[in-house]
Amino acid sequence: MELSNVKVIGFDADDTLWENETFFREAEFEFARIMREYGSEEVILKDLYNVEIANMPIYGYGIKAFILSLIETATHLSKGKLSSIQTSQIIAIGKSMLNKPVVLLKGVKEVLESLMPNYRLIVATKGDLLDQERKLNKSGLLDYFHHIEVMSDKQPEAYLKLIKHLDIKPEQFVMIGNSLKSDVLPAIEIGASGIHVPFHTTWQHELVENKVESIRYAEVENLLDVLPYFNLKP
């Protein structure tokens, strides 16, 4: 992959810079435990996923949207008989998620410190604005980034808008992230490059089955492995 023309490097936030999806999986299983009298874990989690997908155009992404979907799913499964105790327990799941510590993934600071002298670094992420600002502040990474972009969704049009705002050409941009669907493929579609850094767990909505074949694409095992693409040593 040729990156000699790159001027701006974009980083996804959740599960690229810090751990996130693990907390959602833990929350789902806790929700299934609270709701166990209304169905099996498989049935409950399937119903939750369907509600999340249906709500996405309304609520978008993030923990607050997730909490609303938990409440709606619980109301549906219980046929309106959800107890006040169960409601409080479900709300507590969300509050616990919002108060989780920010755990940086391996090599994050080393990579940012290595790239910062020669490139403009930005964050391009989905999610709730307030929650992402909270995590960025807790992360201690803000000083590395020239620009922070919290998108309602990561479609090619959103990346084109970002490119225009940065006053660069698509070929001068590379996006690094854990999601093929949201981070890599839309960037490649507009003429930019994408580096996929898989996380050990991925939300099923973000899964892509097709193999990516592009000269503007690479996949690495961990974030430190992106450095050789910029002629830097891990």
Side-chain angles (χ1 to χ4, degrees):
M1 184 169 62
E2 176 57 48
L3 298 176
S4 60
N5 292 327
V6 167
K7 293 183 177 180
V8 179
I9 303 173
F11 289 86
D12 175 53
D14 295 334
D15 301 316
T16 299
L17 299 178
W18 53 67
E19 186 174 3
N20 180 68
E21 194 61 27
T22 306
F23 302 141
F24 278 86
R25 297 291 80 78
E26 292 172 351
E28 287 172 350
F29 292 127
E30 176 63 13
F31 175 69
R33 185 194 66 78
I34 294 169
M35 299 299 297
R36 62 185 179 273
E37 66 185 275
Y38 301 110
S40 67
E41 181 179 283
E42 181 181 0
V43 168
I44 291 169
L45 296 185
K46 182 178 180 180
D47 201 22
L48 172 60
Y49 177 72
N50 290 335
V51 170
E52 286 184 273
I53 297 303
N55 284 340
M56 204 172 294
I58 305 170
Y59 302 142
Y61 297 84
I63 294 174
K64 293 175 186 175
F66 180 66
I67 297 169
L68 290 170
S69 290
L70 289 180
I71 296 295
E72 182 176 339
T73 303
T75 302
H76 170 254
L77 288 169
S78 67
K79 294 181 171 57
K81 297 179 181 179
L82 194 67
S83 71
S84 58
I85 292 176
Q86 289 170 318
T87 301
S88 296
Q89 289 174 327
I90 293 168
I91 292 173
I93 291 174
K95 288 185 176 180
S96 174
M97 293 175 72
L98 289 167
N99 287 306
K100 291 285 186 183
V102 175
V103 180
L104 296 182
L105 297 180
K106 178 183 176 181
V108 167
K109 283 194 173 182
E110 293 93 323
V111 168
L112 297 179
E113 287 172 1
S114 297
L115 294 173
M116 188 180 178
N118 298 311
Y119 301 93
R120 277 191 287 164
L121 308 183
I122 71 163
V123 171
T125 188
K126 292 189 296 190
D128 175 75
L129 178 60
L130 184 62
D131 186 39
Q132 294 295 46
E133 287 178 342
R134 175 189 64 82
K135 286 187 282 191
L136 278 162
N137 283 321
K138 279 188 173 183
S139 72
L141 301 177
L142 271 175
D143 289 343
Y144 291 105
F145 297 110
H146 168 80
H147 176 72
I148 309 294
E149 186 83 10
V150 180
M151 303 168 166
S152 57
D153 201 359
K154 284 182 169 178
Q155 298 297 325
E157 295 78 12
Y159 281 101
L160 284 171
K161 184 179 178 181
L162 175 60
I163 293 292
K164 184 178 180 180
H165 175 78
L166 295 169
D167 194 27
I168 57 172
K169 299 175 181 178
E171 59 266 28
Q172 295 173 318
F173 179 70
V174 59
M175 183 66 193
I176 299 173
N178 69 292
S179 172
L180 281 174
K181 183 176 180 180
S182 293
D183 302 321
V184 174
L185 293 179
I188 291 174
E189 185 173 332
I190 67 166
S193 299
I195 301 178
H196 184 214
V197 190
F199 190 61
H200 63 79
T201 182
T202 303
W203 187 32
Q204 57 183 310
H205 180 66
E206 295 291 334
L207 294 175
V208 174
E209 294 184 1
N210 297 336
K211 185 178 180 180
V212 182
E213 295 183 1
S214 173
I215 60 172
R216 299 192 306 277
Y217 166 75
E219 180 176 316
V220 297
E221 188 173 333
N222 63 68
L223 199 60
L224 284 167
D225 293 334
V226 307
L227 292 179
Y229 287 96
F230 301 94
N231 297 315
L232 296 167
K233 293 183 179 181

